[in-house]
Amino acid sequence: MSKTLESGSSRPLSDTGDAASNRWKALVFIALAQLMVVLDATIVNIALPHAQVDLHISDANKQWVITAYALAFGGLLLFGGRVGDLWGRKRAFVIGLFGFAAASAVGGAAVNEAMLLSSRAAQGIFGALLAPAALSLLATTFTDPKERAKAFGIFGAIAGGGGAVGLLLGGFLTEYLDWRWTFFVNIPFAIIAALGAFFVIREPAGGRNRNPLDIPGVFLATLGLVSLVYGFTRAESDGWTDPVTLGLFVATVVLLAAFALVESKVRAPLLPLRVITDRNRAGVYSSLGLAIIGMFGLFLFLTYYLQVVQGYSAVKTGFAFLPMVASMITGSTQIGARLMNKVPARALMGPGFLFAAIGMLLLTRLEVGSSYAGVVLPGMILLGLGMGTAFMPAMSLATHGIEPRDAGVASAMVNTSQQVGGAIGTALLNTIAASATGTFLATHHAPAAAGAVGQKLVQAQGLVHGYTTAIWVAVGILAVAAAIATTAINAGRPGTTTVSSTGAGEDAGTEDEVQLPVAMH
């Protein structure tokens, strides 16, 4: 059955005020769930030292509090997106939220290391189900170009700035309550979002992909992504030439190559190659992943710089990140959302990433006694404006023109590029910083007369030298992201087209045309 459209609009004639109101209510709950997932990527980092002491976690095992989540989340994202396409995105969204809440409750109540690590892995599993469902629900709920721009502006601001908010909230909860509240805080978020979604969100008919699961694809993709994420995590702690690290990278190449081969042969692939061979989506995935490498590295170094070098408390550090969050929201909602339907996506993404690179460039001037207002703040604001402006059209374009049956897996690819980018950024840039610091300390020594104070100053100078060296690399990575976005993405202003949900392997006799904005070349 085909829906009749108004001239020049993708909104069905039957779209009533109540339906429009429900869409914006749905956005509130989708955004709340996205905020919870993004917060969790950084909020636990602040609490980790306190949890380590309470639960007697060794230094060798403390990284697994972060790694257990990253491996489960990054490794299962494609599978989670495909399950959402099969079960229905709303069902996957609600199950993911309740599962995430339960895992968070276990983590907050943990009495030993094993209980905490298992809860983090469970958070990652349910997060992998929840995150692609949230983005694909947004893509299928908002199909009118103007509404879509506003909705993705809000979603993009949360995706970009949520990590910094996590630093603030984590610092506040840890300092004034207890580290366990960095887990318990997820429970009200998840319950409110799940109940709201259950009563408000409506999925379009005919959007499911009822083909059987591609089990070989699930196996190869999960092992390949786990190997990739763990390889970069291990490189950070054990070095790039460690035999196990190198073995993990070799395994990644073999597993993902086998995955691509399987996907090209099976009738109902886990990741249809049509999703990633589209020029615009490929450009989004690659440029967004590169940009995340630079941004996650900056979060790490600025947190260390403000706390270790400048002596900020956890709460003060969180507040120091707020201007960047505000500028990300401004870039996403006031620049990206307003211009998305007026200019091509590359005209926002390319300059956005370049603007972020300029912000990074300002931060290469960091010194031990640098002024927050004079050096840190301008760099943060430019970075936030640039990333916010670029994030919004990137997330929207990644799901433009996608067939409804592929919406979940296309959304999962956005999350995968972010997750893998974050793992690479943390490991790669931290390794570069540590190496630069070691070289600096080996060649700079405080005079004997300077005593302990002089030694402390040289140590601080070495740390800052390491941070700025890594930030220079991040500048280059963001410049490459800008170049890819400008040259690889050739989509014009979003228009409308009719996309049939009927495809190979769909239920026979079912055809429900869905209006989606797509890139007009």
Side-chain angles (χ1 to χ4, degrees), residues 135 139 148 152 281 394-402 407 410-411 516-517:
L135 183 56
R148 184 182 178 91
F152 271 88
R281 275 192 288 277
M395 289 196 162
S396 180
L397 189 60
T399 52
H400 268 171
I402 198 73
S411 301
L516 292 177

Side-chain angles (χ1 to χ4, degrees), residues 370-385:
S370 292
S371 160
Y372 172 80
V375 179
V376 179
L377 183 61
M380 278 186 168
I381 290 174
L382 288 177
L383 177 71
L385 281 173

Side-chain angles (χ1 to χ4, degrees), residues 203-229:
E203 277 194 83
R208 291 193 193 181
N209 184 341
R210 300 183 185 277
N211 287 313
L213 281 175
D214 168 22
I215 300 301
V218 170
F219 179 77
L220 291 169
T222 300
L223 286 183
L225 290 173
V226 165
S227 181
L228 178 62
V229 173

Side-chain angles (χ1 to χ4, degrees), residues 131-425:
L135 183 56
S136 56
L137 279 174
L138 189 72
T140 55
T141 299
F142 290 91
T143 57
D144 176 79
K146 290 183 179 179
E147 288 188 347
R148 184 182 178 91
K150 293 177 183 177
F152 271 88
I154 295 168
F155 192 84
I158 290 172
V165 175
L167 296 173
L168 171 61
L169 188 58
F172 180 85
L173 292 173
T174 302
E175 190 162 325
Y176 293 111
L177 293 173
D178 186 84
W179 67 266
R180 296 178 184 277
W181 281 96
T182 61
F183 286 87
F184 290 145
V185 73
N186 291 325
I187 298 173
F189 277 116
I191 292 175
I192 292 170
L195 292 176
F198 184 80
F199 290 107
V200 172
I201 291 179
R202 299 287 182 270
E203 277 194 83
R208 291 193 193 181
N209 184 341
R210 300 183 185 277
N211 287 313
L213 281 175
D214 168 22
I215 300 301
V218 170
F219 179 77
L220 291 169
T222 300
L223 286 183
L225 290 173
V226 165
S227 181
L228 178 62
V229 173
Y230 186 42
F232 277 102
T233 301
R234 188 176 176 90
E236 183 182 359
S237 59
D238 296 86
W240 295 90
T241 57
D242 174 70
V244 176
T245 301
L246 294 175
L248 287 166
F249 287 137
V250 170
T252 297
V253 173
V254 172
L255 288 165
L256 293 183
F259 172 68
L261 180 63
V262 167
E263 298 309 275
S264 68
K265 303 294 184 183
V266 299
R267 188 177 70 87
L270 173 69
L271 175 62
L273 295 184
R274 61 181 175 269
V275 172
I276 56 174
T277 53
D278 176 84
R279 174 174 177 166
N280 290 295
R281 275 192 288 277
V284 168
Y285 297 147
S286 55
S287 61
L288 190 60
L290 285 170
I292 290 292
I293 290 176
M295 191 174 76
F296 264 65
L298 182 74
F299 281 176
L300 180 71
F301 298 134
L302 277 184
T303 300
Y304 286 159
Y305 174 77
L306 294 173
Q307 291 194 25
V308 177
V309 178
Q310 299 286 48
Y312 283 26
S313 68
V315 172
K316 188 176 180 181
T317 300
F319 276 110
F321 276 96
L322 282 184
M324 184 167 70
V325 176
S327 61
M328 278 186 178
I329 293 172
T330 300
S332 186
T333 61
Q334 301 304 310
I335 301 176
R338 290 178 181 272
L339 296 180
M340 191 180 86
N341 293 319
K342 299 178 181 178
V343 300
R346 63 170 175 250
L348 292 172
M349 291 179 62
F353 289 141
L354 195 58
F355 218 58
I358 294 172
M360 286 275 199
L361 191 63
L362 294 180
L363 292 170
T364 61
R365 300 182 300 139
L366 285 175
E367 296 177 354
V368 172
S370 292
S371 160
Y372 172 80
V375 179
V376 179
L377 183 61
M380 278 186 168
I381 290 174
L382 288 177
L383 177 71
L385 281 173
M387 293 298 280
T389 300
F391 260 43
M392 186 261 156
M395 289 196 162
S396 180
L397 189 60
T399 52
H400 268 171
I402 198 73
E403 295 183 37
R405 62 194 172 117
D406 294 333
V409 74
S411 301
M413 278 299 300
V414 177
N415 288 282
T416 300
S417 66
Q418 290 178 295
Q419 183 67 19
V420 171
I424 293 173

